[in-house]
Amino acid sequence: MFRGKNYKESAKLVDKQALYDPMDAFALVIKASKAKFDETVELHVKLGVDGRHADQQVRGAIVLPNGTGKTVRVLVFCKPERVEEALAAGADYAGGMELVEKIQKENWFEFDTVIASPDMMGTVGRLGKVLGPKGLMPSPKAGTVTPNIAQAVKESKAGKVEYRLDKTNIIHCPIGKVSFGEQKLFENYVTLIGAIIKAKPAAAKGQYIKSCVTASTMGPGVKINAQKQL
């Protein structure tokens, strides 16, 4: 795999065998960030579960104390009488069937989060095949199917992130930007890893957190000693 000069320079800063204390890990990620834009910092957590079993699924959503640093575009599916409420709470788009058709006919995806009131799920269900693969399908577990639309919109705008296992039993989640500095990244990390630990399935056996790695968009991975998270 070809790696650019900047990546190679950054990689020299990281001891691949070492497990870093969280604060040191984020300081290193910031130091190793060489891109000309404000890189996103992500957390990749490998869990000792088997997500193929329903009783070992790990999924949820949490509002990061310092947000993600990203402007989130929110789409709300609701009845006509609640459109104003959704827009007043900060939603970028709100409506019903007309938005479903816009997505279906125009392949329109100018949004990052989808929220739906429960009475709209029959309509939104038609979009399962297009929203599902993009991770945009609203769900009660993620708090995106809710009668409390205004609160859900405000949380999404404030930096709510959804965490869920991928097929390899790893959770990938943004926890901020390089410009946040290590303290804010650390605070977001503590909130997210705490939520993941709390979500541990009763059926999970053995070591729960197998590994924890942080990296910026273009930078090398830095291993975190997740036992020292709190």
Side-chain angles (χ1 to χ4, degrees):
M1 189 177 183
F2 175 76
R3 296 289 194 187
K5 192 177 102 186
N6 281 349
Y7 182 93
K8 286 175 181 168
E9 288 297 313
S10 298
K12 287 178 189 169
L13 301 170
V14 181
D15 180 348
K16 285 205 165 93
Q17 305 309 314
L19 278 179
Y20 291 88
D21 283 0
M23 217 46 172
D24 296 338
F26 296 122
L28 198 49
V29 163
I30 292 164
K31 192 176 176 186
S33 170
K34 299 273 199 284
K36 290 185 169 70
F37 61 94
D38 191 8
E39 295 179 56
T40 295
V41 177
E42 291 194 339
L43 199 65
H44 308 277
V45 187
K46 185 165 180 63
L47 298 181
V49 296
D50 186 346
R52 290 174 300 180
H53 300 291
D55 62 352
Q56 291 190 46
Q57 269 297 325
V58 179
R59 183 179 181 182
I62 192 88
V63 178
L64 298 176
N66 301 302
T68 60
K70 184 184 173 192
T71 303
V72 180
R73 298 166 300 173
V74 178
L75 166 66
V76 175
F77 286 109
C78 59
K79 297 287 186 191
E81 61 271 17
R82 300 196 69 184
V83 167
E84 275 308 312
E85 176 195 345
L87 294 173
D92 298 86
Y93 313 98
M97 198 60 210
E98 74 281 10
L99 292 176
V100 172
E101 288 175 357
K102 189 173 171 69
I103 291 167
Q104 286 175 327
K105 292 175 183 171
E106 299 174 29
N107 202 24
W108 175 71
F109 290 101
E110 299 294 311
F111 47 87
D112 309 295
T113 297
V114 181
I115 293 164
S117 56
D119 54 9
M120 288 299 289
M121 283 312 288
T123 305
V124 180
R126 301 174 195 196
L127 296 171
K129 283 184 180 166
V130 290
L131 293 182
K134 292 177 182 290
L136 290 168
M137 194 65 187
S139 83
K141 267 192 177 170
T144 45
V145 176
T146 173
N148 196 339
I149 290 171
Q151 185 185 343
V153 170
K154 284 171 183 163
E155 285 180 349
S156 290
K157 289 285 187 180
K160 185 178 191 177
V161 293
E162 188 180 345
Y163 57 87
R164 60 192 297 182
L165 288 175
D166 68 5
K167 286 176 183 168
T168 58
N169 300 311
I170 298 174
I171 287 172
H172 309 274
C173 224
I175 54 167
K177 298 279 188 182
V178 164
S179 61
F180 278 24
E182 59 256 44
Q183 183 61 41
K184 283 186 176 178
L185 289 171
F186 175 72
E187 288 165 7
N188 280 355
Y189 159 79
V190 167
T191 300
L192 177 61
I193 205 86
I196 292 170
I197 290 168
K198 207 181 260 184
K200 180 181 179 181
K205 299 285 182 279
Q207 188 181 353
Y208 180 51
I209 294 182
K210 293 272 194 186
S211 69
C212 186
V213 176
T214 183
S216 62
T217 311
M218 310 289 285
V222 180
K223 291 179 187 170
I224 293 178
N225 181 354
Q227 309 311 317
K228 289 198 173 180
Q229 83 274 4
L230 305 172

